[in-house]
Amino acid sequence: MSKRKSRETHMLLGECLSQAQKILRRRFCHQDVPAMPAGLDSQHKHLLELLRRTAVHGESNSVLIVGPRGSGKTMLLSYVLRELLEEKDVNKNVLQVHLNGLLQTDDRIALKEITRQLNLENVVGDKVFGSFAENLAFLLEALKKGNRSSSRPVFFILDEFDLFAHHKNQTLLYNLLDVSQSAQAPVAVVGLTCRLDVLELLEKRVKSRFSHRQIHLLSALTFRQYLEVVCTQLSLPSDFPDSRFSEEWNNSVRKLTEDKSVEDVLQKHFNISKDFRSLHVLLLLALSRVTTSSPAIQPTDLVEARRLCAADYKANILHGLSILELCLIIAMKHLNEIYEGEPFNFQMVYNEFKKFISRKSRSIHNFEKPVVMKAFEHLQQLELVKPMEASTTKIQREYQLMKLLLDHSQIMESLQRYPQCPTDVKQWAASAFA
Amino acid sequence: MPLQLQHEGYSEEKLGLLAEKITCRETQASTLLALLGEPDHYTYPSIFIYGHHASGKSHVTECIMKELELPHVTVSCVECVSAGLLFEQVVMGLYGSEATALLPRSSSILDFVRVYKQLSSQEPSYQTRYIILDRAQLLRDMEANLLPGFLRLQELVDDNVTVIFLSEIVWDKFRPSTGCFEPVVLHFPDYNKGELHQILTLDSHPSYSPELYSSFINIMLGVFYSVCRDLRELRHLAALNFSKFCEPLERGEVKETDTHKLWKNIEPHLKKAMQTVYLREVSSVQWEEQQQKEEKEAGALKGLSAYAHVELPYYSKFLLIAAYLASYNPARTDRRFFLKHHGKLKKTNFMKKHEKTSNHLLGPKPFPLDRLLAIFYSVVDNRVAPTASVFSQISSLVTLQLLTQVGHDDQLDAPKYKCAVSLDFIQAIARTLSFDIVRYLYDFL
């Protein structure tokens, strides 16, 4: 009897965990719009007020949201839009056009996309007819015909705004901002960008039509607030079906953030960057280690996740090289030290390596030159060494000038971690003038 | 004892089958599996897996996808010379071949995203779809917006889709200048010696005992491990050389337990293999043939590089020698080498080498045509008229890539050349003319 009961609770536990994972993964991976963006109150108010003025009063506006990658630009905007669309008179009234600089790589494509998203008359199915000039004239006419009181306001949302500035003549930006400046149909142009110097990219005539309203999302979080964010990000919402489980989970999360080692890990992460996306990666890696056998996030999980995040990529690659390739890298390091960063070619590296073999080494036997060449080419393939010039056919392979893309300390450190490294190789690496 | 894979989303039976297929990659597989989560959960938009050649990156991901029956498509970026082909393959793999009709010819990423959205709304899937891009380093050479586009594909198409990148090159070299959506980066470490041994012994020969094969692998790793850690290469070498290893057994000279004799028999053979088969000098078919014909010594067969010598006309040989001397000797020593009565040169001054390294280290230097002809006339004994055929031989040496022309500014007026042959090659040519070239080289004085 008791056995069956325990199994039942176990099953339930599994389901609860699955549910919890589902919710949290949605939050971390899909960038779910949260209840309220943290630490962005004034920006939120500013943007909401601006968009509401367009939507309700028919005022034309333009604004740029500027912030580093992962600082929550898209999240803030979608939160504001959701809030705005909940209002009844706005919901029916507003049209939205979403453009992305990665997708709409030139103005022609962007214009087609606009007409498609606005469902104008020259759209049949999802095909757009007409040339670029016709499309533009048509669109501008449609926008011009409208006025403040009668026509519906349009939100133009330009993701990766800086890429639009690279289009020829910046025609699209010019026309959109021109419409927003003159008394035509009410539009709001919202640009999202991660470049702080984005205004320098604009042409003078485009710049003069832009309202110079910028919202900066430069994170001013202190570490205390950061911990709070971690706590809220990890805790389950109040409408979770199993209230007892969610309570336990939230308690364990609170306990977790008070743990000393966890605080250490988060402090390190915080010192590197404050953006939410790298935090999400960390939390996701920790979350993925939760199973039925350990149904809550442990401090060790977070430490392990941090270890995965913070690994040095190049050191990992160096770890997997063969002894011969490692010797070549050490020879290059010596050449760099002797000739102070001058480029080298294969012949010089081979000479240095041969000197080492003849004088010092007992553990490594003599290799033929083509074998060494093969190892050298493998290093080139891994992009640990790079040719100075791109032309490859003109010069013999041995005499092509190369440079090493590794740091002195990186080499020494990975040499320490190298499994079963012969002692004479280590000594050779340590003494520059051997 | 292999580690047991655990996951709530899948039945134990499937996981057991999966674990059988994966050797020595259990920790990586379980990390990846945990990251992917249950089939209906969201997964992080992009996962970047890097590791050395043949460290099981594609094998593990492919096994996970196949055994757990997840909707996925694997595309090798080598095959896709244009982005349009890549999109076509992705759409075909996920939605079947009829769906590709929706894509226009030479489609851009916008078309792809639009078609994908349309298709995913037609047949919504409750499972995560996976797009696996093998050899992702080639994506960097395609259009600039392709890699950032794939990194945030989940956001762009608004579907439960994850892109997995497989590459040998570290993530730092992928990042575009304005940044992008950062993926989760996973590392597949190299196999250590024990693991290599364990994997290689898996394909043992049926007619011999596994212990014998394992001792063979041990010997082979002893020879090759310091040069090569590539599993694929090692496996190839093992397959080629095992029959040679077994020969004394077949003849009944040695028993299986006598490892030392077997080692003595095979070791020189393996060392020879490193200089021939490993460098692809001798093809594996040739190598096998040669092993059967025992009378021939291994390596007696000419490799590819032995065919490097070319038959040249008499004057062309001298022209090439003159070019080599002009490339590798400094111009100020020409008087000393090639003039009969060069007057008094201070010996100390001449021998002082202020170059820190020899020219054979730094590579050939360019020289003008006049200098080439001057040296040519001094090394050729008899009188040669500067006919058209001499000049045409120079330009034919350029087309044979034995000389290269430096700086394309002028074809007729004082062109400059470089000599592009190795010392061995020029020595072989000089021998046919019984000309002692080393005596004329400054570096070997």
Side-chain angles (χ1 to χ4, degrees):
Chain A
M1 182 70 192
S2 67
K3 214 176 194 177
R4 184 185 287 165
K5 203 173 183 183
S6 76
R7 187 176 290 160
E8 259 176 28
T9 53
H10 189 71
M11 284 268 289
L12 264 177
L13 180 67
E15 264 168 38
C16 284
L17 266 178
S18 173
Q19 272 296 323
Q21 286 245 7
K22 192 169 188 172
I23 290 168
L24 292 177
R25 271 172 182 276
R26 226 187 133 78
R27 196 178 285 166
F28 297 147
C29 304
H30 198 54
Q31 318 291 341
D32 224 2
V33 182
M36 177 66 206
L40 301 171
D41 294 326
S42 66
Q43 287 98 329
H44 164 243
K45 219 174 103 188
H46 188 169
L47 188 63
L48 182 64
E49 198 47 43
L50 202 73
L51 290 183
R52 181 179 284 137
R53 280 211 300 273
T54 302
V56 178
H57 304 298
E59 209 179 278
S60 286
N61 277 314
S62 53
V63 65
L64 269 179
I65 306 177
V66 184
R69 297 253 170 211
S71 58
K73 303 180 286 293
T74 313
M75 186 193 68
L76 175 69
L77 184 67
S78 48
Y79 179 70
V80 166
L81 283 177
R82 195 178 67 185
E83 210 175 355
L84 206 60
L85 291 181
E86 273 166 13
E87 293 174 24
K88 208 171 150 202
D89 50 338
V90 176
N91 192 7
K92 280 181 289 178
N93 204 12
V94 170
L95 294 169
Q96 286 184 41
V97 177
H98 289 265
L99 300 177
N100 192 319
L102 284 174
L103 301 181
Q104 281 81 34
T105 43
D106 69 47
D107 282 347
R108 234 160 54 93
I109 302 172
L111 209 62
K112 277 193 178 174
E113 189 65 30
I114 292 173
T115 35
R116 187 181 295 135
Q117 289 194 18
L118 287 175
N119 281 320
L120 293 175
E121 290 93 332
N122 58 344
V123 178
V124 178
D126 66 342
K127 293 262 188 323
V128 182
F129 294 99
S131 67
F132 175 68
E134 280 169 7
N135 271 330
L136 182 65
F138 181 76
L139 180 69
L140 287 180
E141 203 186 339
L143 288 173
K144 243 178 229 155
K145 259 190 203 158
N147 56 38
R148 272 183 72 158
S149 50
S150 67
S151 54
R152 292 169 74 179
V154 187
F155 289 167
F156 286 98
I157 291 147
L158 306 179
D159 209 345
E160 309 275 352
F161 184 81
D162 47 311
L163 294 180
F164 283 100
H166 292 307
H167 294 180
K168 191 166 176 277
N169 290 339
Q170 305 185 343
T171 319
L172 182 78
L173 290 184
Y174 174 77
N175 283 311
L176 282 183
L177 291 172
D178 194 46
V179 170
S180 83
Q181 285 288 314
S182 47
Q184 298 166 357
V187 297
V189 180
V190 184
L192 304 165
T193 180
C194 60
R195 283 187 69 161
L196 290 176
D197 62 342
V198 66
L199 284 183
E200 310 295 308
L201 297 174
L202 297 179
E203 278 177 26
K204 205 171 155 197
R205 57 184 185 133
V206 181
K207 204 167 158 184
S208 70
R209 279 166 176 77
F210 172 59
S211 68
H212 287 265
R213 213 177 265 120
Q214 291 193 36
I215 297 177
H216 287 278
L217 297 189
L218 303 174
S219 171
L221 282 180
T222 60
F223 183 60
R224 282 287 126 217
Q225 285 166 316
Y226 191 74
L227 275 182
E228 289 280 301
V229 169
V230 172
C231 199
T232 49
Q233 285 284 327
L234 273 179
S235 29
L236 291 172
S238 50
D239 56 350
F240 192 76
D242 190 338
S243 60
R244 212 187 65 195
F245 176 80
S246 75
E247 206 169 293
E248 268 175 33
W249 177 272
N250 290 347
N251 278 337
S252 75
V253 166
R254 204 159 306 122
K255 217 176 282 166
L256 183 76
T257 45
E258 282 157 12
D259 189 279
K260 189 81 192 89
S261 62
V262 168
E263 212 163 292
D264 260 8
V265 164
L266 289 174
Q267 179 78 56
K268 272 184 202 148
H269 210 73
F270 179 75
N271 289 346
I272 288 171
S273 90
K274 292 182 188 176
D275 77 67
F276 295 121
R277 227 172 249 155
S278 67
L279 178 68
H280 281 164
V281 173
L282 183 78
L283 296 182
L284 177 69
L285 285 172
L287 178 72
S288 68
R289 297 171 63 86
V290 174
T291 54
T292 35
S293 46
S294 62
I297 299 180
Q298 304 298 324
T300 50
D301 290 341
L302 217 60
V303 174
E304 186 65 18
R306 166 78 194 153
R307 202 184 55 75
L308 269 179
C309 277
D312 181 0
Y313 305 146
K314 272 192 185 156
N316 279 337
I317 286 291
L318 282 178
H319 185 270
L321 293 179
S322 66
I323 288 278
L324 177 59
E325 285 152 355
L326 200 69
C327 284
L328 290 185
I329 285 188
I330 294 170
M332 290 176 212
K333 186 192 80 125
H334 286 338
L335 283 175
N336 263 348
E337 276 163 14
I338 297 167
Y339 300 123
E340 285 159 358
E342 293 280 312
F344 49 83
N345 58 29
F346 169 72
Q347 200 67 39
M348 295 157 93
V349 176
Y350 182 61
N351 244 30
E352 198 78 6
F353 176 61
K354 256 194 349 201
K355 266 194 247 164
F356 163 64
I357 295 285
S358 63
R359 251 190 247 161
K360 286 239 163 176
S361 165
R362 264 174 230 97
S363 61
I364 297 169
H365 38 266
N366 216 338
F367 293 113
E368 299 264 310
K369 193 169 168 185
V371 176
V372 182
M373 189 70 183
K374 190 167 175 173
F376 190 73
E377 277 172 353
H378 185 226
L379 290 180
Q380 201 181 333
Q381 209 176 38
L382 291 171
E383 298 188 13
L384 296 177
V385 292
K386 198 179 120 196
M388 295 290 283
E389 294 133 23
S391 76
T392 46
T393 50
K394 284 256 142 174
I395 314 167
Q396 289 152 282
R397 281 186 305 175
E398 296 97 314
Y399 296 122
Q400 202 172 26
L401 288 181
M402 300 277 191
K403 70 180 179 213
L404 183 64
L405 300 179
L406 286 168
D407 199 38
H408 176 95
S409 57
Q410 240 170 350
I411 298 171
M412 294 315 277
E413 213 162 282
S414 56
L415 210 64
Q416 293 304 318
R417 298 196 316 150
Y418 195 80
Q420 293 154 21
C421 184
T423 325
D424 41 5
V425 172
K426 265 189 193 166
Q427 281 170 352
W428 180 41
S431 62
F433 298 99
Chain B
M1 188 64 211
L3 199 102
Q4 212 65 63
L5 291 172
Q6 278 189 344
H7 204 279
E8 269 93 52
Y10 307 101
S11 66
E12 273 181 25
E13 188 184 347
K14 277 184 181 177
L15 289 173
L17 278 175
L18 179 62
E20 272 173 30
K21 286 203 170 179
I22 297 170
T23 343
C24 304
R25 291 280 92 156
E26 285 82 9
T27 42
Q28 281 78 28
S30 62
T31 318
L32 190 59
L33 212 56
L35 196 61
L36 299 186
E38 293 177 33
D40 57 332
H41 288 175
Y42 270 94
T43 310
Y44 205 74
S46 45
I47 300 170
F48 183 87
I49 300 176
Y50 71 104
H52 276 281
H53 197 63
S55 53
K57 302 182 290 293
S58 353
H59 178 71
V60 168
T61 37
E62 200 65 8
C63 277
I64 288 178
M65 296 295 153
K66 283 235 174 81
E67 288 298 317
L68 305 180
E69 290 163 7
L70 302 169
H72 73 283
V73 55
T74 311
V75 181
S76 164
C77 295
V78 184
E79 293 169 18
C80 302
V81 285
S82 72
L85 282 174
L86 182 63
F87 300 139
E88 199 169 293
Q89 287 207 20
V90 170
V91 169
M92 182 150 62
L94 287 179
Y95 295 102
S97 50
E98 302 91 57
T100 48
L102 289 170
L103 277 173
R105 278 185 64 216
S106 68
S107 46
S108 68
I109 189 163
L110 174 68
D111 299 316
F112 171 65
V113 167
R114 192 165 45 83
V115 167
Y116 190 102
K117 256 185 189 169
Q118 192 185 333
L119 289 167
S120 72
S121 62
Q122 272 169 17
E123 37 182 308
S125 163
Y126 301 102
Q127 295 190 330
T128 315
R129 294 193 176 95
Y130 295 96
I131 299 173
I132 302 166
L133 299 176
D134 204 352
R135 301 199 184 227
Q137 63 263 38
L138 292 162
L139 281 180
R140 299 176 299 174
D141 306 333
M142 293 196 205
E143 289 137 60
N145 61 345
L146 198 60
L147 184 67
F150 267 116
L151 283 167
R152 55 168 66 219
L153 193 66
Q154 192 177 93
E155 188 186 317
L156 292 176
V157 301
D158 198 25
D159 182 42
N160 190 357
V161 62
T162 291
V163 185
I164 301 178
F165 298 89
L166 307 177
S167 168
E168 280 175 59
I169 293 175
V170 293
W171 166 245
D172 298 342
K173 311 227 166 202
F174 280 74
R175 202 173 284 127
S177 56
T178 47
C180 59
F181 191 101
E182 295 281 316
V184 181
V185 181
L186 287 184
H187 177 230
F188 273 48
D190 51 301
Y191 298 110
N192 60 30
K193 205 169 180 176
E195 284 168 340
L196 277 178
H197 187 263
Q198 193 186 336
I199 295 169
L200 284 171
T201 41
L202 283 181
D203 39 26
S204 65
H205 205 275
S207 50
Y208 295 97
S209 68
E211 290 80 32
L212 182 76
Y213 196 78
S214 135
S215 69
F216 167 65
I217 292 296
N218 238 344
I219 294 168
M220 217 197 62
L221 282 180
V223 174
F224 280 103
Y225 187 64
S226 58
V227 177
C228 174
R229 304 206 166 171
D230 190 339
L231 178 64
R232 239 171 263 176
E233 190 104 44
L234 287 172
R235 186 178 263 169
H236 176 66
L237 287 166
L240 275 183
N241 291 312
F242 185 61
S243 61
K244 180 79 181 174
F245 179 72
C246 297
E247 257 173 25
L249 292 173
E250 275 171 14
R251 271 177 287 166
E253 290 167 7
V254 189
K255 273 181 283 181
E256 278 199 20
T257 47
D258 201 349
T259 338
H260 184 69
K261 268 190 182 158
L262 284 171
W263 176 76
K264 255 192 149 174
N265 181 42
I266 195 72
E267 219 229 346
H269 192 73
L270 287 177
K271 282 205 169 143
K272 200 135 274 171
M274 176 153 30
Q275 291 154 23
T276 51
V277 186
Y278 177 65
L279 295 170
R280 308 287 186 274
E281 286 268 301
V282 172
S283 74
S284 48
V285 178
Q286 280 174 317
W287 183 252
E288 273 172 352
E289 264 174 19
Q290 199 185 316
Q291 279 183 338
Q292 264 135 39
K293 279 186 254 157
E294 283 202 35
E295 63 272 23
K296 248 176 143 188
E297 202 23 54
L301 197 73
K302 271 199 238 168
L304 269 183
S305 62
Y307 292 105
H309 78 98
V310 283
E311 284 298 328
L312 286 175
Y314 184 69
Y315 287 139
S316 284
K317 284 182 185 171
F318 272 114
L319 280 172
L320 198 58
I321 285 174
Y324 192 85
L325 292 173
S327 265
Y328 287 93
N329 280 352
R332 61 183 174 82
T333 63
D334 282 355
R335 220 148 76 94
R336 158 79 171 72
F337 280 126
F338 303 115
L339 237 54
K340 284 218 174 82
H341 310 288
H342 49 72
K344 284 221 161 174
L345 268 174
K346 266 189 194 166
K347 190 141 199 187
T348 48
N349 197 15
F350 172 71
M351 291 302 289
K352 194 172 72 185
K353 294 194 176 183
H354 28 233
E355 293 93 342
K356 56 190 174 187
T357 40
S358 72
N359 271 337
H360 279 90
L361 218 52
L362 294 173
K365 298 267 182 300
F367 54 84
L369 180 64
D370 302 345
R371 191 169 162 229
L372 171 70
L373 288 175
I375 296 177
F376 172 66
Y377 286 127
S378 102
V379 291
V380 177
D381 289 334
N382 43 359
R383 283 178 61 85
V384 192
T387 53
S389 82
V390 169
F391 287 100
S392 74
Q393 282 185 26
I394 294 176
S395 63
S396 74
L397 283 177
V398 173
T399 49
L400 287 172
Q401 298 189 346
L402 298 172
L403 297 185
T404 49
Q405 194 167 6
V406 187
H408 287 284
D409 45 349
D410 207 336
Q411 289 289 331
L412 290 174
D413 190 26
K416 288 192 157 189
Y417 297 101
K418 252 187 197 182
C419 186
V421 297
S422 63
L423 181 62
D424 295 336
F425 185 90
I426 206 79
Q427 270 181 326
I429 283 184
R431 222 173 292 128
T432 62
L433 301 169
S434 54
F435 177 85
D436 188 8
I437 193 165
V438 180
R439 219 158 54 85
Y440 286 92
L441 279 171
Y442 179 65
D443 286 338
F444 300 106
L445 220 57

